[in-house]
């Protein structure tokens, strides 16, 4: 017999739990299907790159992530102008354009302009109709050696900071970091008072 003033047990364990479970038995087949679709698309869009258009290098948002680099939405109009690419031509040769983006740093601007120039140097433009070449199209020799780019175009490389190793000297060993910190904190705290005293002493000397 149940003792004390407890909750009356009423466990409902006869639910049709099988109806509420989602299985992933189709995952291997989906993987195969996605791979086949990628291959089919690559054949269809040949000789264009399989990964789509080239994108700019941008910094992530907020203080937490702004040191990291990633691919942005599109190149700004200023970057295209500096690289000598007309804004209406850019989307037709595989360059993504974002007319709303503004360049707020010179370093980022120069990086993306250099990226565009590198892409432009490697670009092979096929004629719309065979054997009917127009201005801006690549030469037949370049067309013969052209290959389809698979994967990201000009992938973003994250440079690791280099560490410089130095020999530990006796001066470094004798240096007392904590004492130095305490001294500098004290100096920072008294900088106003000391400046005031120095000004008063200078005034007294003039008298």
């Amino acid at each position: 017999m149940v003792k004390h003033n407890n909750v009356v047990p009423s466990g409902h364990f006869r639910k049709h739990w099988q109806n509420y479970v989602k299985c992933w038995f189709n995952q291997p087949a989906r993987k195969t299907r996605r791979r086949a679709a990628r291959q089919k698309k690559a054949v269809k869009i040949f000789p264009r790159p399989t990964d789509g258009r080239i994108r700019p290098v941008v910094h992530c948002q907020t203080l937490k992530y702004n040191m990291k680099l990633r691919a942005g939405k599109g190149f700004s109009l200023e970057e295209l102008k500096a690289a000598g690419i007309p804004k209406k031509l850019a989307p037709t040769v595989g360059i993504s354009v974002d007319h709303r983006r503004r360049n707020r740093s010179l370093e980022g601007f120069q990086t993306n302009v250099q990226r565009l120039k590198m892409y432009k140097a490697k670009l092979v433009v096929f004629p719309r109709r065979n054997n009917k070449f127009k201005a801006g199209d690549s030469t037949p020799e370049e067309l013969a050696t052209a290959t389809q780019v698979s994967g990201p175009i000009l992938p973003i490389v994250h440079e690791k900071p280099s560490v410089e190793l130095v020999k530990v000297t006796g001066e470094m060993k004798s240096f007392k970091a904590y004492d130095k910190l305490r001294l500098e904190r004290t100096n920072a705290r008294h900088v106003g008072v000391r400046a005031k005293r120095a000004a008063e002493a200078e005034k007294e000397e003039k008298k």
Side-chain angles (χ1 to χ4, degrees):
M1 183 64 192
V2 178
K3 289 188 176 181
H4 310 300
N5 187 23
N6 296 327
V7 178
V8 177
S10 60
H12 296 76
F13 298 116
R14 297 198 179 185
K15 299 183 180 74
H16 297 287
W17 61 269
Q18 291 93 337
N19 297 339
Y20 303 104
V21 173
K22 183 165 177 66
C23 298
W24 287 79
F25 299 135
N26 60 349
Q27 192 180 19
R30 275 193 174 177
K31 184 181 178 180
T32 310
R33 191 170 71 193
R34 281 197 300 268
R35 185 162 183 257
R38 282 197 300 272
Q39 289 172 342
K40 193 177 177 183
K41 184 186 175 185
V43 172
K44 187 180 178 182
I45 66 170
F46 182 86
R48 298 179 192 88
T50 57
D51 207 46
R53 297 176 176 183
I54 186 171
R55 300 192 179 276
V57 178
V58 297
H59 283 268
C60 297
Q61 291 181 342
T62 72
L63 191 66
K64 187 176 180 183
Y65 300 106
N66 65 6
M67 78 294 296
K68 296 195 175 187
L69 298 174
R70 65 172 179 85
K73 182 179 172 64
F75 290 93
S76 68
L77 301 179
E78 293 83 13
E79 288 165 355
L80 291 169
K81 191 176 181 181
I85 301 168
K87 62 182 178 182
K88 289 191 176 178
L89 175 73
T92 65
V93 291
I95 299 170
S96 55
V97 182
D98 185 8
H99 65 90
R100 295 168 297 184
R101 221 177 108 234
R102 299 284 176 269
N103 292 105
R104 301 189 190 281
S105 87
L106 182 64
E107 190 183 348
F109 173 76
Q110 288 171 344
T111 303
N112 283 322
V113 169
Q114 189 61 35
R115 188 172 166 82
L116 280 170
K117 285 179 179 175
M118 200 186 297
Y119 176 77
K120 194 177 173 183
K122 294 182 178 183
L123 183 66
V124 177
V125 181
F126 279 69
R128 280 177 179 266
R129 295 180 185 177
N130 292 339
N131 302 323
K132 286 196 176 181
F133 291 89
K134 290 184 177 180
D137 293 344
S138 299
T139 59
E141 292 79 21
E142 289 176 330
L143 299 181
T145 57
T147 55
Q148 189 178 33
V149 178
S150 59
I153 308 161
L154 300 177
I156 297 165
V157 180
H158 300 277
E159 293 180 6
K160 289 186 177 179
S162 58
V163 179
E164 190 181 345
L165 300 174
V166 294
K167 210 167 189 177
V168 180
T169 60
E171 189 184 344
M172 288 179 182
K173 287 179 181 177
S174 62
F175 178 72
K176 295 180 178 177
Y178 182 73
D179 293 357
K180 178 69 174 171
L181 280 171
R182 295 294 298 177
L183 180 65
E184 291 303 325
R185 278 181 188 157
T186 307
N187 291 341
R189 195 164 63 244
H190 293 107
V191 68
V193 178
R194 286 172 180 169
K196 189 179 177 184
R197 279 181 194 161
E200 286 174 358
E202 195 178 336
K203 201 179 274 185
E204 288 290 327
E205 283 176 12
K206 284 181 180 178
K207 284 181 180 179

